[in-house]
Amino acid sequence: MSDSVIVTGMVLTAMPIGDYDKRITILTVDRGKITAFARGARRPKSSLVACTNPFSFGEFELYPGKSSYTLVKANIQNYFRELTIDPFATYMGFYFCEFAEYCCQENNDEKEMLKLLYQSLRALQSDRFEKSFVRAIYEDKALTLIGEGPNVYRCMECGAEKPLVMFAPDKGGLLCDSCAGKHRGIHISDATRYTLQYIANSSVEKLYSFTVTPEVLEELIHVITVHKERMIRHRFKSLEVMDALT
């Protein structure tokens, strides 16, 4: 058998296999999204029971195979157990993981996406932020990281830098006041524009360093939701559960 490797990452999803095993997806720093099998992880006394649950973040020791890995052991630094107290927060966390699994690739540098996921789960646990605010930031920044974020710096029609007053879904970005009348879109305030620009330009570590008014949050959610649905045509199961809970 090949020598084992140690990767830093987070469990995105876990699926039962056979009577006692699990198949897990891990988002790692160096190897992108990988699949690993955890033999006996569903046995009550297995040392792999806790570390193969979604949200588990830490170091994983794996044996590489032809198309997947075998998990040997793990040193978990954060289980995000606080998320399980609130069912809505739990499924929003599942959604973040499902979103990352959909967007990330194998053998790709996914360091920034992993950092975004980790920081967003931490923000979900905080009483400081509205969960809808955390979701909006996560979706917008994730889209930006994969090159599908909205253009928020120049008018998509004439190239002017300001004033930008409308988000045009068909253009994938903002329009200035001169061009806005030619298109249908979402009118936004200066504060919402500043927020969109901050999310696009800020490092992941500084994303959750501010809050917004309810009016700005409403515009932000509207813009990001419309843009995300245009760019990603995929149904996320965890979102369906969240809709049922609300």
Side-chain angles (χ1 to χ4, degrees), residues 30-72:
D30 301 320
R31 301 181 180 228
K33 179 180 66 175
I34 64 174
T35 299
F37 289 90
R39 310 299 181 188
R42 294 166 61 207
R43 295 182 184 274
K45 294 183 179 181
S46 171
S47 61
L48 303 179
V49 171
C51 68
T52 53
N53 290 328
F55 313 143
S56 298
F57 174 86
E59 292 183 337
F60 299 84
E61 183 175 351
L62 309 159
Y63 279 110
K66 291 183 178 180
S67 59
S68 62
Y69 295 80
T70 298
L71 177 64
V72 180

Side-chain angles (χ1 to χ4, degrees), residues 110-124:
E110 303 291 1
K111 183 184 299 182
E112 291 301 307
M113 188 68 82
L114 178 60
K115 286 198 295 185
L116 174 63
L117 179 58
Y118 187 90
Q119 296 294 343
S120 298
L121 292 181
R122 287 187 61 190
L124 271 186

Side-chain angles (χ1 to χ4, degrees), residues 5-212:
V5 296
I6 296 177
V7 299
T8 299
M10 180 183 293
V11 176
L12 301 180
T13 61
M15 178 181 295
I17 299 293
D19 293 330
Y20 300 108
D21 304 337
K22 278 185 179 181
R23 183 177 66 199
I24 62 175
T25 304
I26 308 173
L27 183 60
T28 72
V29 172
D30 301 320
R31 301 181 180 228
K33 179 180 66 175
I34 64 174
T35 299
F37 289 90
R39 310 299 181 188
R42 294 166 61 207
R43 295 182 184 274
K45 294 183 179 181
S46 171
S47 61
L48 303 179
V49 171
C51 68
T52 53
N53 290 328
F55 313 143
S56 298
F57 174 86
E59 292 183 337
F60 299 84
E61 183 175 351
L62 309 159
Y63 279 110
K66 291 183 178 180
S67 59
S68 62
Y69 295 80
T70 298
L71 177 64
V72 180
K73 59 182 178 181
N75 178 22
I76 302 302
Q77 301 167 15
N78 196 339
Y79 290 98
F80 290 96
R81 288 195 175 97
E82 293 87 346
L83 287 179
T84 62
I85 298 174
D86 179 356
F88 188 77
T90 300
Y91 277 96
M92 186 168 287
F94 286 157
Y95 167 59
F96 289 177
C97 290
E98 192 179 357
F99 196 96
E101 183 183 23
Y102 178 81
C103 293
C104 294
Q105 305 295 323
E106 297 180 9
N107 300 315
N108 195 36
D109 183 358
E110 303 291 1
K111 183 184 299 182
E112 291 301 307
M113 188 68 82
L114 178 60
K115 286 198 295 185
L116 174 63
L117 179 58
Y118 187 90
Q119 296 294 343
S120 298
L121 292 181
R122 287 187 61 190
L124 271 186
Q125 295 181 149
S126 173
D127 295 331
R128 181 185 174 195
F129 304 108
E130 293 280 348
K131 290 178 176 55
S132 57
F133 176 66
V134 178
R135 174 181 170 180
I137 290 181
Y138 176 81
E139 290 176 335
D140 192 16
K141 192 64 173 181
L143 288 171
T144 300
L145 290 176
I146 64 173
E148 300 290 355
N151 187 308
V152 294
Y153 292 104
R154 295 179 180 273
C155 175
M156 298 300 290
E157 185 82 2
C158 69
E161 294 186 7
K162 58 181 181 180
L164 304 173
V165 299
M166 175 189 282
F167 173 75
D170 61 326
K171 294 290 186 177
L174 303 185
L175 298 175
C176 69
D177 53 355
S178 300
C179 298
K182 308 173 187 176
H183 298 269
R184 298 180 62 181
I186 304 167
H187 286 276
I188 60 172
S189 64
D190 286 342
T192 300
R193 173 170 56 85
Y194 294 147
T195 302
L196 288 166
Q197 291 173 342
Y198 181 85
I199 295 171
N201 190 54
S202 175
S203 66
V204 171
E205 291 83 358
K206 296 181 179 180
L207 275 179
Y208 298 103
S209 60
F210 70 101
T211 56
V212 296

